[in-house]
Amino acid sequence: MRRTIDWAGGAIVVIDQTALPGEYRLLELRTVGELVDAVKRLAVRGAPALGAAGALGVALSARLNGDVRKDAEVIAHARPTAVNLAWGVERALGKLGQGADAVLAEALALLDEDELLNKAASKHAAEIVLAACPRRPLRLLSHCNAGRLATVGWGSALGVVWHLHERGLVEEVLVDETRPLLQGARLTAWELAQEKVPYRVQPDGAAAAAMARGMVDCVLVGADRIAANGDVANKIGTYGLAIAARHHEIPFVVVAPSSTVDSKLADGTGIAIEERDARELTGYAGVPITPPDAQVFNPAFDVTPFELVTAVVTEHGRFRP
Ligand code: MRU
C-alpha cells in the first residue's frame, strides 16, 4: 500500500482524495501554489497528512529557491484548524539554516515517524477499547476519515480498527457518511472495503438512533487539534456524537499522534474553526439543492469538551490534561 503523501522525482506526490472512490489517481505537486491548492481542495487532508504536507511544502520551496519563509506562512495558513499543518511547517523550517537537503531530510523523517506514531497510538487505543467494552466481537462507529488516507500511513482512529480486525475482534464498523464532503462514505468505506472489514454506511443523523438501538459498542474518532485541557476539535458532527454517546453510556475514544496536541491553547474555545464555501451545501454534484439565495452555516469542525471523552490517546498512551 503506497503512502498517502510522499516525495518522488522532485515533487510531492499525493493520492487525490477528491477522486476516490470512483478513481484512484496520483497528483504530482511541483510548486507551492499547487500544494496549497491541493490542501484547500482537500485533495490531501486529515491532520497528520497535513503535517506531512506542511513539511514537504517547505522542502519544495527550499529546493526551488523560493522565498521559503513567505511560502511557509502561506502553507501554514492554507487550513486553520488542524495544528499539524503549522507544526509540520515549523519543523521543516527549523532546518532551513542547514540548506535545502537538510530541510527535505527532516520532512522525510517526519513522514517515516508518522506511520510509527499512529501505529503506536492506535495500539494503545485498541487496548483501552477492549478494556472499556465487554462485548465481542465489537461494533464500532466511525466519523469522517481517520484512516491511512488521513495520515502518511496506517491511520489513527481507523488504525484501531486495523489492530482489532487483525485479532478477529470486529463485527462491523458503522460509517457516518460525514456531510457535506462525505469523507466517511467515500474514503473510510473505501479503506474498510480494501481491508475486508465488514461495514455499513449510515447518514450522520442515524448515529444517535444506532446507539439507542444498541448497535454501537464504542465511538472512535480522530482529532485536528487537542487543547491542553483535552478539548478536541474534529470534523463537524463529532460533538453531537459525543453527547449521544454519553447519553447512552457508550465509550467515546479519540486517537491522534501527539503532534495534534496544541499545548499553547488552554482550552478548546481558542481553536480556530474553518468555515468552508457555501457551495458545499447549496448543491450536490453540480445540482442545486437549496433555493438560490439560501444562506449557509458550514463549519468544517466542532469542539468536543474533554468531559465528554472517555480517553484521548496518543503514542504516549492516555493523554492527561
Ligand atoms: O476536513 P478534513 O477531511 O481534513 O477533516 C479531517 C478530520 O476531521 C479527521 O477526523 C482528523 O483530521 C483526524 S485524521 C487522523
Side-chain angles (χ1 to χ4, degrees):
M1 181 102 41
R2 72 168 297 126
R3 286 173 162 184
T4 299
I5 176 163
D6 213 341
W7 176 265
I12 301 169
V13 181
V14 301
I15 299 173
D16 184 353
Q17 298 189 38
T18 63
L20 286 170
E23 189 189 345
Y24 179 95
R25 68 173 180 230
L26 301 179
L27 289 179
E28 283 187 6
L29 310 171
R30 296 196 169 273
T31 66
V32 170
E34 286 173 8
L35 172 72
V36 169
D37 178 59
V39 167
K40 287 184 193 269
R41 291 188 302 110
L42 273 55
V44 57
R45 48 147 296 282
L50 290 175
L56 286 174
V58 173
L60 181 65
S61 173
R63 281 177 73 92
L64 296 174
N65 290 317
D67 182 341
V68 182
R69 292 200 182 273
K70 198 168 144 217
D71 286 344
E73 195 66 18
V74 174
I75 298 165
H77 290 100
R79 294 190 74 193
T81 303
V83 69
N84 308 58
L85 180 58
W87 167 83
V89 165
E90 282 305 317
R91 189 163 150 183
L93 265 187
K95 296 289 174 182
L96 193 56
Q98 296 169 41
D101 287 348
V103 176
L104 180 59
E106 185 68 9
L108 293 176
L110 183 154
L111 265 65
D112 289 342
E113 286 164 26
D114 177 273
E115 183 166 340
L116 294 174
L117 298 182
N118 281 304
K119 261 195 178 143
S122 53
K123 186 136 190 50
H124 285 303
E127 295 310 322
I128 288 171
V129 170
L130 289 172
C133 308
R135 190 183 189 277
R136 302 286 182 271
L138 291 157
R139 288 107 19 109
L140 305 163
L141 191 148
S142 146
H143 192 66
C144 194
N145 172 268
R148 287 198 164 87
L149 291 167
T151 61
V152 176
W154 189 257
S156 61
L158 220 49
V160 180
V161 174
W162 310 144
H163 283 300
L164 295 171
H165 181 61
E166 272 171 10
R167 295 163 65 179
L169 294 173
V170 179
E171 181 171 317
E172 79 165 346
V173 181
L174 278 177
V175 177
D176 277 359
E177 61 170 351
T178 318
R179 287 277 300 148
L181 296 180
L182 304 177
Q183 290 92 330
R186 295 188 303 105
L187 307 176
T188 299
W190 182 78
E191 290 196 43
L192 290 167
Q194 296 245 318
E195 298 300 322
K196 301 192 170 29
V197 179
Y199 72 88
R200 283 187 284 173
V201 177
Q202 65 182 4
D204 301 333
M211 293 182 203
R213 287 167 66 167
M215 294 163 59
V216 180
D217 298 310
C218 186
V219 179
L220 284 170
V221 296
D224 289 87
R225 195 181 289 243
I226 300 165
N229 73 338
D231 289 352
V232 174
N234 191 50
K235 179 53 55 192
I236 190 72
T238 302
Y239 175 40
L241 282 179
I243 293 170
R246 175 56 55 92
H247 181 73
H248 295 289
E249 297 180 4
I250 293 168
F252 182 93
V253 175
V254 177
V255 192
S258 60
S259 51
T260 306
V261 177
D262 184 353
S263 46
K264 294 195 294 290
L265 274 188
D267 60 50
T269 58
I271 299 176
I273 299 294
E274 176 182 5
E275 294 219 12
R276 293 189 57 87
D277 197 298
R279 284 171 296 185
E280 291 178 355
L281 284 170
T282 55
Y284 185 80
V287 178
I289 57 171
T290 63
D293 53 356
Q295 297 298 299
V296 160
F297 174 51
N298 187 19
F301 302 96
D302 59 25
V303 176
T304 300
F306 183 64
E307 70 212 47
L308 292 178
V309 180
T310 308
V312 173
V313 189
T314 74
E315 71 275 13
H316 304 305
R318 203 183 262 263
F319 169 83
R320 307 276 170 207

